[in-house]
Amino acid sequence: MSAPAQLRLLARYGRLRRILLWSFVARIPLGAVTLSLFLGTRISTGSLEFAGWVSSAAVVGMAAGAPVQGRLLDAFPLPRVVAGFAAGQVLALAALAPAVTGDRRDWVVVALAFVQGASVPALSSCTRLVTKRSLPPEELGTAFALDSVLLEVVYLGGPALAAWAVTAVGVRPVLVAAALLTAVGTVQFLRAAGLPALTGTADDAPVGPGPESTDQPAPAAPGLFTAGSFVLGMALLAAPFGLIEVALTQRATEEGATLASVGTYLTIMGVGSVIGGLVHGALRWRGGVSVRFVLLALGLGAGLASVAVVSGPAPVGLAFALAGLCVAPLAALGFQILDLISPPGAWMQLQGWGSVANTAGHAVGLTVGGYVAAAQGSSAAFGLIAVAVPLAVALSLPALRTPARSRPAATVGAA
């Protein structure tokens, strides 16, 4: 896959352009709302711990709501389910906008944050499903890789945008803007999808990256322990993203800097992630996905953990840039490995648990980071990454050592 291949695909399929555009617009709040709630609550109450509870509730809500929404998408028409959840998120954001600016530790805000997270429409899985049923099989790998880069822009660019916007105009306008983006983007996505009767019930044919060799007979599918251990590893790899949001906020407080510095460093990492994702997809790799996964995970951990012992805009910015190069490729490889180890008939289920692991790990990082940063300072919170990432790699080893089952599928970023 290369950048020209992505451009050719967009030029050939106008409908795909519209689907990806409006899905991207509707998903911008995914990256912006959590940090906006954290920063807004931190500013209004002065409590780092309570801000962590509010933002963690939003992320936990996403993890709790995703399986429920997935079951509904299997049983009912996609537009009906997605529109219903989007309406719930818009209403929750509208209620949060005035509530989060209070100066008391009001636990109603925590409840509203949970509802907001639980009602996030599943546009990522819907985009993947609509794309799967709209393009020929040979085009799916490039389309999925392109959407993965866009999603990384959302998750890494969104927090940077949130940090700048909350600093400049306050949290209330940011949450109102998030509600508008969700509403407009979801409506236009459903119009672009053009499949009013589509449900999420799919055939058992796998979609996504295939094994690196299909010459050998298929080994038995990995057991529950292997898959569960890898999902836990994915959760631990997601925890650093919650940790850095809290640690950067605390570092700004310690140094007397503005919260805009949080957005600056997250932007640097986001740019690095996009570059890393495009380069990883364009190159032909000789090593297997397991080797790349381990190297990228350790590279991400080393880059982010190093901020515990360095200071100053240039060294910290360099650390975030280098760590960012690993983010998008690592995310793509994580779901690729889930594809390779998924048992027959459970591909969608295991992919869903991978998404839950990402959101739950982020929530744990926010919560634990809030306590550690408040008690021990920002360097201690950054230092936790040096523990979380190696443990994540250790938990992933059973899956990384499992041979992929033989089956034809589109290849993304693999030789």
Side-chain angles (χ1 to χ4, degrees):
M1 185 199 73
S2 64
Q6 298 169 354
L7 295 177
R8 287 195 299 268
L9 185 69
L10 292 175
R12 190 179 305 125
Y13 297 101
R15 185 181 177 202
L16 177 65
R17 291 198 302 271
R18 295 190 296 273
I19 290 171
L20 292 179
L21 169 63
W22 293 113
S23 176
F24 175 76
V25 169
R27 288 181 292 178
I28 289 174
L30 281 176
V33 168
T34 302
L35 185 57
S36 296
L37 291 173
F38 177 81
L39 295 176
T41 308
R42 173 70 173 83
I43 292 170
S44 63
T45 66
S47 172
L48 192 66
E49 295 92 340
F50 185 69
W53 276 107
V54 172
S55 52
S56 296
V59 180
V60 171
M62 291 175 61
V68 175
Q69 188 172 177
R71 295 294 295 271
L72 293 174
L73 286 168
D74 281 335
F76 300 100
L78 182 151
R80 188 186 308 172
V81 177
V82 172
F85 273 79
Q89 188 190 23
V90 169
L91 292 174
L93 287 169
L96 275 168
V100 78
T101 54
D103 58 1
R104 296 183 301 107
R105 301 187 185 186
D106 190 347
W107 291 94
V108 173
V109 177
V110 178
L112 285 173
F114 177 87
V115 172
Q116 183 277 142
S119 58
V120 170
L123 288 175
S124 294
S125 59
C126 290
T127 299
R128 193 175 178 93
L129 180 64
V130 173
T131 302
K132 173 184 176 181
R133 299 194 179 182
S134 302
L135 298 182
E138 63 271 15
E139 304 279 20
L140 292 180
T142 302
F144 290 156
L146 180 58
D147 186 59
S148 295
V149 171
L150 291 176
L151 193 56
E152 287 304 311
V153 172
V154 166
Y155 277 119
L156 294 173
L161 179 64
W164 281 333
V166 170
T167 302
V169 300
V171 67
R172 185 178 297 187
V174 174
L175 295 179
V176 171
L180 291 174
L181 288 171
T182 299
V184 173
T186 302
V187 169
Q188 294 299 326
F189 170 81
L190 293 177
R191 290 181 61 186
L195 297 171
L198 180 68
T199 66
T201 304
D203 53 38
D204 290 332
V207 176
E212 301 199 3
S213 173
T214 57
D215 296 331
Q216 301 300 322
L224 181 62
F225 172 80
T226 298
S229 181
F230 187 73
V231 168
L232 287 176
M234 289 183 69
L236 278 174
L237 280 178
F241 298 103
L243 288 169
I244 63 173
E245 291 175 10
V246 173
L248 282 173
T249 302
Q250 180 65 18
R251 177 71 63 89
T253 301
E254 294 167 357
E255 297 178 349
T258 68
L259 292 178
S261 63
V262 178
T264 299
Y265 292 129
L266 293 178
T267 298
I268 291 171
M269 188 168 70
V271 172
S273 175
V274 172
I275 294 172
L278 293 175
V279 171
H280 180 263
L283 297 179
R284 297 185 63 85
W285 299 93
R286 295 184 180 276
V289 294
S290 299
V291 173
R292 275 179 277 152
F293 181 86
V294 172
L295 292 177
L296 287 167
L298 294 177
L300 174 72
L304 295 179
S306 68
V307 184
V309 295
V310 301
S311 60
V316 174
L318 178 61
F320 272 88
L322 295 176
L325 294 173
C326 305
V327 174
L330 186 61
L333 287 174
F335 282 97
Q336 181 173 347
I337 292 168
L338 283 178
D339 172 58
L340 298 178
I341 67 173
S342 62
W347 187 89
M348 291 294 292
Q349 181 180 356
L350 194 55
Q351 292 280 313
W353 278 110
S355 297
V356 170
N358 283 336
T359 53
H362 192 162
V364 170
L366 283 167
T367 304
V368 174
Y371 280 112
V372 172
Q376 303 294 329
S378 61
S379 294
F382 280 117
L384 289 176
I385 298 172
V387 178
V389 171
L391 182 56
V393 171
L395 287 170
S396 302
L397 288 179
L400 299 179
R401 293 170 176 166
T402 300
R405 291 182 293 113
S406 175
R407 59 194 185 190
T411 301
V412 178

